[in-house]
Structure formats: structure tokens, C-alpha cells
Amino acid sequence: MEIQISGGIVRRVSGPDAPVNGIAVQARTIANFLPLSVRRAGVNIVHNLDDKYTGIRVDTKRGPIVLEMPTGEDPYRLVHQLPEPSETGRTEVEMRRFPQIYKPQGIALIFGEFLQSRGFLN
């Protein structure tokens, strides 16, 4: 399922309404290679126009984890979104970065193994 966030409004997008740019296609490709344990947790492709990122969101037992797709030469970012802002006002914690040298299968494997080894999945 794909979700679009714009102006604070969350809506589902599908078919002809879904973005078809390179980053969206890359996110869909990686999501297709995710391990079954990650898919069972609940995977969504998120197009967040407010925060200007496209990523793969997994709803885990410790809260949502987002793999943000890189733009330009930036690395992939693995971010834990906090349910409520912390005392300092942070709404997310960056857990890991990795370069764009991997194929989609490798990115999916790194993402799945990270979630499994850190206890985010059942």
C-alpha cells in the first residue's frame, strides 16, 4: 500500500495517482525484495511531501521505522519515528546510514536484518 502525506493530510494512493518518479520506483523495488518477516509486520511506501522524502515504512512493535530513499549522492537513512516528541522536541531518531553502492536486494537484506537483529520484529 502507498501513502501520501501532504499538508498534514494522510491519504492512500494507488494506480494512476501513485508517483512514478525514480525514487518511488526504487522504493517499490526494494519493498518487493523485503524478507517475509518484515512484510508481515506491515510495510507501506510513504511519499511525505511535508518532510520531502519517499521511503519504506514498517510498523514494528517499538514504533514505525522508515528507510528513507536517497536524493542525489546522499546515503540511505534508517529512521525510528517517535510516537510523541521527546523533551527536546525530536520526533525521529536516525539509527543508521548506508551508501548507495548496494543493489535493491542488498538494501532489502540490510534493512530486514537490522530490524530482526535489533528486536523490532516478533
Side-chain angles (χ1 to χ4, degrees):
M1 177 171 66
E2 296 195 29
I3 298 172
Q4 185 173 22
I5 302 170
S6 176
I9 298 171
V10 179
R11 67 182 184 100
R12 287 184 182 182
V13 292
S14 62
D17 296 334
V20 193
N21 59 18
I23 295 173
V25 171
Q26 182 180 17
R28 289 183 200 109
T29 304
I30 293 170
N32 285 333
F33 289 112
L34 288 172
L36 182 60
S37 59
V38 177
R39 290 188 204 183
R40 288 179 58 208
V43 176
N44 294 315
I45 307 291
V46 178
H47 308 285
N48 192 332
L49 302 178
D50 295 342
D51 292 338
K52 296 185 178 29
Y53 74 84
T54 294
I56 301 170
R57 178 180 164 145
V58 179
D59 296 319
T60 67
K61 61 184 180 181
R62 289 193 193 164
I65 306 292
V66 177
L67 174 65
E68 293 183 4
M69 299 295 113
T71 55
E73 295 297 318
D74 295 337
Y76 289 90
R77 290 182 63 219
L78 202 54
V79 177
H80 183 199
Q81 293 181 336
L82 303 174
E84 294 183 15
S86 64
E87 295 82 28
T88 59
R90 288 178 36 173
T91 58
E92 64 182 29
V93 176
E94 183 176 313
M95 297 188 300
R96 186 167 180 196
R97 287 179 179 234
F98 41 94
Q100 296 185 37
I101 60 173
Y102 302 104
K103 294 180 180 180
Q105 295 92 334
I107 299 295
L109 179 65
I110 291 170
F111 187 32
E113 289 297 319
F114 183 88
L115 295 177
Q116 194 75 26
S117 66
R118 302 303 193 284
F120 284 99
L121 303 175
N122 293 330

